[in-house]
Every structure is written in C-alpha cells, then in structure tokens.
Amino acid sequence: MPNPPSRKWRIQARPAILAAAYDRLPVAMLCVRDKDILYANGAAATLLGVSAVSLKGRALAPLLKPDDPDAIDLGRMSRADPLETLAIPHAGGDSCGALCDVSVSPAPTGRAGDWLLCLRPLGPGGCILGPITDQGSILAHLLDAVGDAVLVVGNDGRIIDLNKGAQRVFAMDREPARGMSIWPLLAPTLFEGEDTLPEASVQMLLRAVPRSTLGTGRSMTLSRADGISFPGEIAITPLPLPGCSAHLITVRDVSDRKRIESRLERLALYDPLTRLPNRVKVLQHLERLVAQSPLGTIVAVAIDVDHFKYVNDFFGHGPGDRLLQAVGGRLGGDLEEGDLLGHLGGDDFVIVSATADPIATIDRLARRVEEASARTFLIDQSELFISLSQGIALYPDHATDPSNLLTAAQAATYEAKEAGRATTVIYSERVRDRRAGRLAIETDLRRAVERGELSIEYQPRLGVADHKLLGMEALLRWDHPDMGRIPPSHFIPIAEESGLIVPIGHWVLETACKQARLWTQAGFPDLKIAINLSVRQFRDAGLLMKVVEAINTSGLPAANLELEITESGLMSDLDRAIDLLQDLKQLGITIAIDDFGTGYSSLSYLKRLPIDLLKIDRSFIAGLSENADDRAICQAIVSMAASLELETVAEGVETEGQFECLRQIGCHEVQGFFFARPLTVDEFSDYLAQRRI
C-alpha cells in the first residue's frame, strides 16, 4: 500500500484537487459573470452539448432558453423557492435536451453580477465529464453549491477534502474530517461486531459498489460521524492527480425519499382504517405462497359482518368504522405465525394460510372467527351484538390463482349470508353455479326494461271498517324470456346491490303514475297509488326531480301518490331524509314507512319524520290469529301510530282470522290475498268495473 500523502502535499495540491473534483463532479456547474459564462465543468458541457472550452465567454441566456433569453433573470432565480425548472436544449440537435432544476447563488468573489449555477437533470441518465483547469477558492464554493455530499478521498481511504453537503450529510466539520478514514461512514455494516475496523482501501469499496447508484433507486446503509445510519446512493469516480491517486465520492442522502416511499407503500398496500393489508397486499402474499410451494394447499377464509349496513344506518359511519377496527383487532388477536389477516374493503375481511393439513386449518380458523363474534363489542358506550358469515376456499382445489381464490371465498360468503348468516359455507360447484346464475340475472336485468320484460301489477288496498277500495300498491314483475317469471325476492336484491334499482325504480314511478292517472280519469278519482322506493333510490340526489317530473308528465294529482320507504332507508341519513320528506310532503304526496317493526321502530325518530302512515310488516300478520306475541306487537304499532296521529296499513292478510284481529285492534287499511292478489292492468280495470256495479 502506498504511503499516505503528507499534510504539506495536501495543502499545496488543494487547488488541483478541487479543480479535478469540480471537473469530475456528476452535476452540471457554471460560473457566470454578468451575462456570460466564466467557467463550466464537463457535466455542464455534456448537458448543453457544447465543449467546455467553447462555453467560456458565451452568453448564458441563449443557451438555457433560446426562445426567450430575456426570461433568464439570475437575481430572481437566486431567490426562487422552489427551484426554477427549465427545459435545457441540447446544442447538438441529437436529443430534446433535459428538464433540469436550476439552483442559482452569488459567487464568493465579492463582485455583483458573479453567479454560481447548478443544473440537476430530473430524468434518468448520467454525464460525461470533461476537463477544466481553473484553480482557486471559487472551486471550493462551486462544490459547496452542490446539494449532494462530495468527498475527495485518497487511495488509502482517507478524506482529503469535502464540501458543505458532506459536512451536513455526515454531521462532521471540515477540518476534523480531513485525514479521517472514510470506511466507518460508507461501510458501517460490513464489519459489525468487530472491535476494530481493518485498514481498508478505496479499492475494497469499489468492489462493493462497482457502479454508480445515483438516481437508480438502489441505496446502501451509510453512517454519520455520530453513528446514526441512513440510506444513501453513492457514486465513486477516480481522480488522477500528480503525485497521488484519489477518488471523488458523491453521496446522496435518500432518507426523505425512503420515508415517502414507505408511506406510499402503506397507502398502496394497507387499509387506512384498520391498518390491515388490503386486497393488493393479500394478493401479493398469495402469489409468494404459490411461488414458494406451488403444490401446497392454501386456505382462504372470507369473513363478512352480518347486517353491517344497519350499524351504519342507526349509529352512523363513525361508530361503524370503529366497529370494523374492533372486528379486525379481534380477528387478528390469536392468529398463528404464517396466517395473514387482510381487510378487503367495506365489511369484508379475509384470513389466508398455507398449510399441510387443510382440515385442521379450516377448523382452527373457523373457530377463530366464531370466537371473535361470541362476545359483544362496546362502541361509544353502546353494546353491539354482531355475527360473522364465513366463506372458505382452497388453493388449488377451488382456484388455481390468487385472485380467483379470493373470489371463490367471497362467493362462498355470499352463500353463507343467503343461507341465514352467522354460518360457514365451503366453496363448491353449487356455489359457483349459483354465483354464475346471479351474474347472468344481473346481465339480463340490465336489458329487461328496453326489451319490455318488466311489468307492474297492482294489489288493491281496502278500508277495514267498510271494505271500501282506497287504492292499490304497484308491484314490480319480471317475465324472463327463458326462465319465465322470476320472483321479486330473487332479482330485487341483485338490482339493489348492482345499482340497477335506481333506473328501474324511476321507470316504475313513471309507469305507475301514468296508469293511475288513466284510472282516475275513468271515474275513480279517489284512488291512491302506493309506490315503493328502494334505499338506493331514496338516496339518489335526483329523486325529488324525478318525482316532480313523473307527476307533471302523467298529470296525476300529487294527492293520489303515496311513496313508501323502509326504516333503514330513512335512518341512513336522518337529517337528509327529513328534508327530502318535507319537500315531498309540500307537493301533497303521502309518505309511508314500509315493513314497519322490522327495523328501529323508535318514537324518538318517528315524531321527527313528516310521515302519514305505517305499514305493518307481513311477518307479524302471518301468526296474528294464533300467536299472542304477534298480536301484541301489532296492537302496540297501531296504538303508537294513533298517538302520533298516523294511520296504519297491514299487508299480507290472507285469512279471515287475521282480518278480524286487525279490525279489533283498530288497523285502518288492509291488503292481501284474502281480498285480492296482485292484478295486471287489464285485471285491475275489470276489478274496478265490478266494484262500480
């Protein structure tokens, strides 16, 4: 190993060292006097496409901005925050030039009009460095103008000189740093656990870092003088100097960038509410599991919170979010190493696990889910009882890729919910066929209106006291060309889930109003048409306009229209619901709450709502004449309605015993098969004609 250079040599050689360092600096640097270039390094020459020698004495502005040289104001640019960005043209004409941040600072000459410029390209690529021979203190200031850390290091690995960027990045002063070994700063992890560092040369570092990592995104762990580590990108360039070999080492501290990248990764791969892996992260994890063991078994358990929308509707989205956080915390509490819990969005969770014993793993995870809902959740001082539905799918039995595995597990979850919730379903061909059928129905339903497959039937509503015909309820029907009549209980939930219920609901509103108008013109002016509004339809911002349009287009008096909305639809946004109902009431429309008794049934909100009547849910009517509890519930609903000056309607009346009970407790109106089934337009017209006789 050659002897280290003496201190005298270091002092005498400093101008040459600075010139060489400046010459090989991988950042374009210019020194400008007034409006002309005084000095330029090789990187600037390469960037501008002009030799360094020919740059000296040339006007700066036409080089940087030939289309508008008057726009180059160095004084203004020196005060710019953030830095000004220019598209620097390439004089050679072989490229479009480079987009650069331009840093301008006064040159340390004491003369006004002397400026230092640092041009940093924003895109990828390097610079071919050329020669410059100017010496003097201005070179040190040029290096100091560079934001990156720049160190001149002898072949023995000791620092000869460094700029202000290096002092800042490595937390050390210039004078004490000169002569110290670079090794503890650039390679602190190579000799962890050893009492002393070996005598190391720059050649050893070159073997570890053979290529520049500046701007590549690859970083290595470096260390400040106080021992604090940080990620940095590094470039090492030889400096052939008389009497001694040296290297220029440029270091870029990428700590801020790494923190931003880490934050962006969390935003991209983790759910911000529960802080659990999201769908993308879960799929990445599954892909790794498949790659590691393509023939192994992976269990995916999809989990859905039953009736979660009711929690949001009644308590609000804030408590609903906190419930999801609590569910996630409880599900992840006792998972084994190798299990991954993810939040796929909404109220959907998933647990995935690679296993050699799928039966035992399914049993363990299923019990874990059951235990998670066995105890109540305390949310904002309220106890919530929830249940969880589970769908289980296996790789490769049920799916051969991660995405389809999650889809299969979630499809099984839908089946569990339709089977009564709080249960577990394992994916099967039956589940697949049912989901495929559901998709086919949704596809056909999108075309049903334009094909004329949808129709409306009308069920009469009569007064309890005198059997007088008071109106009719519009009921949607779908006659599929291949499958025949599809029950509303089958296609309405699909329409609601897909959002098709909004345009379909508007079609029902317009069609029923026009038909009701024809019947009022035929001599039945007192009939009221009752039309159901879905939850999605009620939340539609254009509902009021659609109602007004339907009334105006049909000519139906507003007093002949009754709109029915479920309790859950009202409670999803009570304040908005009150405002909307008041607007509808001002038009003269009757407002009813449908399926009353199955939701919240609270006086605290009933007294706030501008409503006219309550429709008692058919589930209470079925056992009315035999079940004392159902009779008591119906009696309570009628009494409560009377106290609020509301009328009541019972739907699903099928027997004389049910009707007699309703008459005794004071119900106002009834509808059901005991009086008439839902009728087509022609049938209802005949029904009206018979009532007239």
Side-chain angles (χ1 to χ4, degrees):
M1 180 181 292
N3 294 326
S6 66
R7 178 174 177 78
K8 179 179 179 181
W9 180 92
R10 295 176 188 272
I11 296 173
Q12 292 176 343
R14 187 165 184 254
I17 292 172
L18 292 173
Y22 169 57
D23 181 39
R24 284 160 174 75
L25 193 67
V27 178
M29 301 291 297
L30 298 170
C31 179
V32 176
R33 173 158 292 172
D34 296 327
K35 297 183 179 181
D36 299 327
I37 298 174
L38 188 60
Y39 300 111
N41 72 346
T46 300
L47 181 66
L48 295 171
V50 182
S51 69
V53 174
S54 64
L55 278 174
K56 186 173 181 180
R58 290 187 62 171
L60 172 72
L63 286 171
L64 298 188
K65 205 166 186 181
D67 296 335
D68 187 13
D70 293 336
I72 302 298
D73 183 346
L74 297 181
R76 174 185 58 78
M77 294 171 67
S78 69
R79 299 185 295 272
D81 185 17
L83 299 180
E84 187 157 340
T85 302
L86 296 177
I88 307 297
H90 195 277
D94 56 349
S95 69
C96 297
L99 192 65
C100 298
D101 274 345
V102 182
S103 171
V104 180
S105 59
T109 60
R111 182 185 182 280
D114 286 2
W115 303 94
L116 299 180
L117 279 74
C118 172
L119 287 69
R120 176 174 291 178
L122 299 181
C127 299
I128 303 174
L129 306 179
I132 188 170
T133 58
D134 198 288
Q135 301 177 6
S137 63
I138 193 172
L139 297 178
H141 289 283
L142 282 170
L143 291 179
D144 287 340
V146 180
D148 294 332
V150 180
L151 306 102
V152 180
V153 179
N155 197 43
D156 60 352
R158 297 190 177 277
I159 299 172
I160 298 172
D161 209 345
L162 66 163
N163 71 345
K164 287 184 177 179
Q167 297 174 59
R168 172 180 52 81
V169 168
F170 290 102
M172 58 186 182
D173 295 329
R174 171 170 275 153
E175 290 305 324
R178 288 174 177 159
M180 70 176 289
S181 172
I182 196 66
W183 206 252
L185 305 178
L186 301 188
T189 60
L190 296 182
F191 302 102
E192 286 181 340
E194 299 189 15
D195 296 334
T196 59
L197 291 173
E199 288 294 329
S201 68
V202 174
Q203 296 303 319
M204 293 176 64
L205 191 60
L206 283 171
R207 286 193 291 271
V209 190
R211 298 181 183 87
S212 169
T213 64
L214 285 180
T216 64
R218 302 191 308 272
S219 63
M220 56 188 295
T221 301
L222 308 177
S223 178
R224 303 192 330 177
D226 55 12
I228 297 176
S229 61
F230 67 92
E233 295 174 350
I234 187 170
I236 306 175
T237 307
L239 292 176
L241 296 172
C244 180
S245 295
H247 286 75
L248 180 74
I249 299 178
T250 306
V251 173
R252 181 170 299 163
D253 184 352
V254 294
S255 300
D256 290 340
R257 192 189 75 198
K258 289 293 184 182
R259 281 191 290 268
I260 293 172
E261 289 174 352
S262 177
R263 184 180 178 189
L264 290 176
E265 180 183 13
R266 289 207 62 83
L267 289 174
L269 301 179
Y270 291 84
D271 173 60
L273 176 64
T274 61
R275 302 187 184 278
L276 293 173
N278 62 13
R279 180 181 292 272
V280 175
K281 180 69 173 178
V282 171
L283 287 173
Q284 289 181 355
H285 180 73
L286 286 172
E287 288 169 358
R288 284 194 296 271
L289 292 180
V290 171
Q292 292 167 3
S293 182
L295 300 179
T297 300
I298 303 173
V299 177
V301 181
I303 305 148
D304 187 280
V305 181
D306 295 332
H307 300 297
F308 177 71
K309 78 181 188 68
Y310 292 140
V311 176
N312 274 340
D313 291 346
F314 186 73
F315 292 98
H317 289 279
D321 288 346
R322 287 188 281 280
L323 175 61
L324 291 177
Q325 291 170 336
V327 170
R330 196 174 287 183
L331 286 172
D334 295 319
L335 294 179
E336 295 184 0
E337 184 178 357
D339 296 341
L340 179 73
L341 171 65
H343 184 205
L344 304 181
D347 60 338
D348 296 327
F349 295 85
V350 68
I351 304 174
V352 296
S353 181
T355 179
D357 190 347
I359 295 178
T361 301
I362 290 173
D363 181 65
R364 174 176 62 83
L365 294 179
R367 281 189 288 103
R368 183 75 203 95
V369 175
E370 292 170 1
E371 291 168 0
S373 61
R375 295 176 286 117
T376 61
F377 290 85
L378 184 63
I379 306 295
D380 294 352
Q381 307 305 313
S382 296
E383 272 194 309
L384 297 182
F385 296 83
I386 68 163
S387 61
L388 301 174
S389 294
Q390 302 180 63
I392 299 174
L394 304 179
Y395 166 91
D397 299 50
H398 303 138
T400 56
D401 67 82
S403 181
N404 287 337
L405 180 64
L406 289 186
T407 300
Q410 289 189 289
T413 306
Y414 299 145
E415 290 297 306
K417 294 175 76 70
E418 292 183 5
R421 307 179 191 272
T423 188
T424 302
V425 169
I426 297 178
Y427 186 80
S428 63
E429 290 185 3
R430 176 178 174 275
V431 172
R432 181 198 62 198
D433 294 343
R434 282 175 59 89
R435 298 312 297 175
R438 183 183 180 93
L439 180 60
I441 287 177
E442 179 181 335
T443 302
D444 290 346
L445 189 57
R446 292 182 181 275
R447 306 186 183 97
V449 174
E450 59 189 64
R451 291 177 176 176
E453 297 170 5
L454 298 182
S455 62
I456 301 175
E457 292 184 346
Y458 301 87
Q459 186 169 38
R461 246 172 50 185
L462 296 86
V464 172
D466 53 9
H467 288 207
K468 179 182 178 181
L469 179 64
L470 301 177
M472 56 282 185
E473 181 178 3
L475 301 170
L476 181 63
R477 298 292 184 258
W478 181 16
D479 291 298
H480 193 280
D482 299 321
M483 294 183 282
R485 174 155 291 189
I486 300 178
S489 59
H490 195 171
F491 73 84
I492 292 294
I494 296 176
E496 184 83 29
E497 181 181 323
S498 65
L500 291 172
I501 196 65
V502 174
I504 290 174
H506 290 158
W507 176 84
V508 171
L509 178 66
E510 295 170 356
T511 305
C513 284
K514 290 177 181 178
Q515 183 58 55
R517 173 58 175 163
L518 293 176
W519 284 325
T520 60
Q521 290 176 326
F524 298 92
D526 296 330
L527 291 182
K528 186 171 291 187
I529 180 73
I531 301 174
N532 289 283
L533 296 177
S534 72
V535 173
R536 281 209 178 198
Q537 195 178 359
F538 188 72
R539 293 173 182 170
D540 181 22
L543 175 62
L544 181 62
M545 184 185 304
K546 289 289 184 181
V547 172
V548 172
E549 182 181 344
I551 292 174
N552 293 338
T553 301
S554 65
L556 181 72
N560 289 74
L561 177 61
E562 175 184 306
L563 297 177
E564 301 178 359
I565 181 70
T566 61
E567 294 175 84
S568 59
L570 292 170
M571 291 303 298
S572 61
D573 187 347
L574 186 57
D575 291 335
R576 177 189 173 277
I578 292 173
D579 292 340
L580 178 56
L581 293 181
Q582 287 175 341
D583 291 338
L584 293 170
K585 286 278 290 180
Q586 288 178 358
L587 297 174
I589 296 171
T590 300
I591 305 298
I593 294 183
D594 196 17
D595 299 336
F596 187 79
T598 60
Y600 309 102
S601 309
S602 169
L603 281 171
S604 63
Y605 83 84
L606 277 180
K607 66 182 181 181
R608 296 180 57 193
L609 294 171
I611 57 177
D612 300 288
L613 60 88
L614 305 177
K615 292 195 71 175
I616 304 172
D617 186 71
R618 65 179 63 246
S619 62
F620 301 120
I621 305 301
L624 187 60
S625 56
E626 299 88 12
N627 190 303
D629 290 339
D630 287 344
R631 183 182 178 93
I633 290 173
C634 291
Q635 177 69 70
I637 292 174
V638 171
S639 299
M640 180 173 61
S643 67
L644 296 172
E645 299 181 351
L646 304 175
E647 294 191 351
T648 49
V649 180
E651 55 184 349
V653 180
E654 298 183 355
T655 68
E656 184 175 0
Q658 293 169 354
F659 171 72
E660 182 59 27
C661 288
L662 291 168
R663 186 188 65 78
Q664 292 175 5
I665 64 177
C667 184
H668 299 93
E669 299 180 37
V670 289
Q671 69 182 80
F673 277 33
F674 180 64
F675 304 99
R677 61 179 177 81
L679 306 172
T680 65
V681 172
D682 291 340
E683 290 171 340
F684 196 86
S685 296
D686 293 340
Y687 179 82
L688 289 176
Q690 293 174 3
R691 300 286 297 190
R692 179 178 288 172
I693 298 174

